[in-house]
Amino acid sequence: MKLSDLKRYAKVRERMIREQLLSRNITDQRVLEAMAGIPRHIFVEEALESQAYGDFPLPIGEGQTISQPYIVALMTQMLSLQGSEKVLEVGTGCGYQTAILARLAETVYSVERIKKLLARARINLDRVQCFNALCKVDDGTLGWPENGPYDAIMVTAGGPEIPAALLEQLADPGIMVIPVGDRISQQLTRIVKMNGQITHEAGESVRFVNLIGRQGWQE
Ligand code: SAH
């Protein structure tokens, strides 16, 4: 990519932050910095590059999508990351959210069920020099037990309920964010584990692709 393109996209990114995030209560400075630092256009196919900073999700192939920038920022902010966390992400997709999380935490473990998407995500993550994210192809509703417990868990596909395996792999204290609802629409849910207690807070209404797996929807 040409230097002039990089500069142009950095400007578009600044505008995205002003118009889509600052205006909607994204206040976590570290989240805003991560969103300014990661070139989102790298993560979409070339034909969609000019739309990468729009206020909407985009297709990434295999019937899946990259979330709208605001939703990425909101879900990240809900985790209140400080920098030392071990994070589990379910639904790597194109890897954009993974790269944001990796900027804000120590290590990210990310699970994706579609092999083709993960192969591309790995290339995308290398291109933005994200080296503290480990990925694997698997059913993420079962978590990634070998590396747990996780200080934070983010699920970027919508399920019918909170997968028990994820609740189990959440550290104490720990925070999980997951869209829960039916196949069409869900509620962004924040689960906090603290002193052995689990609390749930329902947030915004959202529309995610289905979380498909043993503790999610059937295909
Ligand atoms: N954060 C991603 C969002 C991708 S859409 C991005 O920014 O690109 C959600 C992703 O979750 C899809 O790629 C889908 O294949 C994946 N997914 C759905 N069910 C899954 C499961 N059980 N385990 C792992 N990944 C899953």
Side-chain angles (χ1 to χ4, degrees):
M1 175 159 301
K2 289 187 299 225
L3 189 61
S4 57
D5 280 341
L6 284 178
K7 283 191 179 153
R8 184 165 53 82
Y9 278 126
K11 274 201 181 143
V12 181
R13 222 156 35 244
E14 289 301 333
R15 199 170 71 215
M16 168 189 88
I17 286 162
R18 247 190 353 263
E19 293 176 0
Q20 302 175 38
L21 309 185
L22 287 171
S23 65
R24 291 185 183 127
N25 259 333
I26 302 298
T27 51
D28 184 327
Q29 209 50 46
R30 296 182 72 242
V31 173
L32 293 165
E33 276 166 26
M35 300 281 295
I38 302 288
R40 182 171 161 99
H41 61 275
I42 297 279
F43 292 84
V44 302
E45 30 181 296
E46 228 172 316
L48 297 175
E49 211 183 87
S50 64
Q51 297 180 57
Y53 298 95
D55 195 11
F56 37 76
L58 286 170
I60 56 171
E62 310 296 317
Q64 308 303 319
T65 53
I66 175 174
S67 300
Q68 178 191 3
Y70 167 63
I71 295 295
V72 171
L74 179 65
M75 290 179 80
T76 309
Q77 179 166 273
M78 285 166 87
L79 291 180
S80 311
L81 297 170
Q82 303 299 315
S84 59
E85 295 86 352
K86 185 157 67 164
V87 181
L88 174 69
E89 180 191 34
V90 176
T92 320
C94 68
Y96 176 65
Q97 174 77 75
T98 319
I100 299 286
L101 291 171
R103 275 259 176 141
L104 298 170
E106 191 170 273
T107 320
V108 179
Y109 294 91
S110 187
V111 186
E112 168 58 52
R113 62 181 284 272
I114 302 175
K115 198 172 167 185
K116 225 167 142 181
L117 289 180
L118 190 63
R120 219 175 303 141
R122 195 60 265 172
I123 294 170
N124 296 339
L125 288 166
D126 285 346
R127 284 175 72 195
V128 300
Q129 296 181 349
C130 172
F131 303 125
N132 58 334
L134 273 91
C135 307
K136 73 160 176 173
V137 173
D138 213 332
D139 174 6
T141 64
L142 305 177
W144 192 338
E146 294 83 352
N147 301 309
Y150 301 95
D151 306 301
I153 299 181
M154 182 186 289
V155 182
T156 64
E161 58 193 8
I162 298 152
L166 298 186
L167 214 45
E168 219 164 88
Q169 289 167 41
L170 185 64
D172 185 346
I175 304 178
M176 168 161 36
V177 175
I178 176 173
V180 182
D182 58 34
R183 281 184 183 262
I184 309 292
S185 75
Q186 308 86 27
Q187 208 104 52
L188 216 45
T189 308
R190 185 169 183 260
I191 295 117
V192 178
K193 199 193 259 190
M194 174 90 89
N195 300 325
Q197 304 266 63
I198 289 168
T199 52
H200 294 226
E201 291 161 31
E204 296 208 14
S205 290
V206 287
R207 295 171 84 94
F208 271 81
V209 297
N210 290 171
L211 178 69
I212 295 166
R214 292 262 297 280
Q215 295 184 19
W217 298 104
Q218 289 185 353
E219 200 134 1

